[in-house]
C-alpha cells in the first residue's frame, strides 16, 4: 500500500514539474507579415494570362511575391531582401488539375500538389539581380521606402 502511495505522489510531482517546465519556457515571438502594396497585371516575364505582385515586410526583411497565372498552371516567385540586398529567391510552380471543378473563390481549377516544382535562383547572377530590380520598379517609391525604413 505504501508503495502505491509513493508511486502516486511521485507521478504527481513529476507531472507537475513537467507542466511547470513547459510554462516557464520562453515563448516564440510571432512576427506578422505586413502587406505594403499589391500590383496586378504588370509587364513581366514570363508572359501570363494574369499576374499579381505583393510587397510585404516580415520582421527585418521584405518580400516580393510575384504570381503568374497560365492556362495550365501557376508559378510564384518569392524574392526576399534586406536593406536593398537580395537574400534569397526561388519559384514554385504547379500544374492545374484540369479534371477538378472550377473553384468559386479563385475561378480556377485546383492545383495538382504532385506537380510542384521548385527552382532556387542564383542571387549572384547579373540576370537574376536585373529581374529583381525590374520587379521592384513596379512598386511605388513610398512603399519601397516604407519597407526600407522598417527593415
Amino acid at each position: 500500500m505504501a508503495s502505491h502511495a509513493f508511486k502516486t505522489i511521485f507521478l504527481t510531482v513529476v507531472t507537475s514539474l513537467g507542466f511547470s517546465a513547459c510554462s516557464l519556457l520562453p515563448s516564440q515571438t510571432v512576427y506578422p507579415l505586413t502587406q505594403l502594396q499589391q500590383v496586378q497585371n504588370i509587364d513581366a516575364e514570363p508572359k501570363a494570362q494574369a499576374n499579381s505582385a505583393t510587397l510585404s515586410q516580415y520582421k527585418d526583411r521584405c518580400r516580393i511575391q510575384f504570381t503568374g497565372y497560365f492556362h495550365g498552371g501557376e508559378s510564384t516567385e518569392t524574392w526576399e531582401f534586406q536593406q536593398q540586398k537580395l537574400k534569397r529567391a526561388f519559384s514554385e510552380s504547379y500544374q492545374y488539375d484540369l479534371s477538378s471543378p472550377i473553384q468559386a473563390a479563385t475561378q480556377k481549377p485546383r492545383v495538382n500538389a504532385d506537380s510542384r516544382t521548385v527552382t532556387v535562383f542564383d542571387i549572384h547572377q547579373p540576370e537574376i539581380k536585373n529581374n529583381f530590380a525590374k520587379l521592384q520598379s513596379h512598386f511605388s517609391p513610398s512603399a519601397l521606402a516604407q519597407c526600407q525604413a522598417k527593415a
Side-chain angles (χ1 to χ4, degrees):
M1 183 78 151
S3 173
H4 181 22
F6 175 75
K7 288 180 183 176
T8 303
I9 292 171
F10 179 74
L11 183 58
T12 302
V13 169
V14 168
T15 303
S16 297
L17 287 174
F19 287 130
S20 297
C22 288
S23 66
L24 294 175
L25 291 175
S27 62
Q28 185 176 5
T29 304
V30 177
Y31 295 96
L33 183 65
T34 304
Q35 182 174 314
L36 301 175
Q37 185 181 4
Q38 183 175 40
V39 293
Q40 295 185 350
N41 298 323
I42 61 176
D43 181 27
E45 292 293 331
K47 296 291 182 197
Q49 292 176 324
N51 64 49
S52 67
T54 305
L55 173 64
S56 303
Q57 195 249 343
Y58 172 79
K59 199 175 169 185
D60 63 342
R61 292 176 184 242
C62 291
R63 176 175 79 181
I64 295 174
Q65 280 196 306
F66 171 76
T67 302
Y69 303 96
F70 306 94
H71 176 68
E74 59 189 64
S75 183
T76 299
E77 296 177 352
T78 301
W79 304 79
E80 291 185 2
F81 59 103
Q82 185 177 36
Q83 299 294 323
Q84 292 297 332
K85 183 174 172 139
L86 187 58
K87 295 293 188 176
R88 72 181 189 149
F90 60 93
S91 72
E92 289 181 278
S93 298
Y94 295 91
Q95 296 298 314
Y96 290 134
D97 178 359
L98 298 177
S99 64
S100 73
I102 302 294
Q103 297 179 29
T106 62
Q107 295 299 306
K108 299 179 299 202
R110 279 194 293 267
V111 294
N112 178 353
D114 294 334
S115 70
R116 179 179 185 247
T117 59
V118 176
T119 303
V120 177
F121 301 137
D122 181 353
I123 62 173
H124 302 290
Q125 292 295 319
E127 181 181 355
I128 299 300
K129 290 179 182 181
N130 289 340
N131 288 345
F132 174 60
K134 184 175 181 183
L135 192 54
Q136 280 184 308
S137 73
H138 292 286
F139 294 97
S140 71
S142 61
L144 288 168
Q146 183 180 0
C147 183
Q148 183 71 11
K150 291 182 180 180

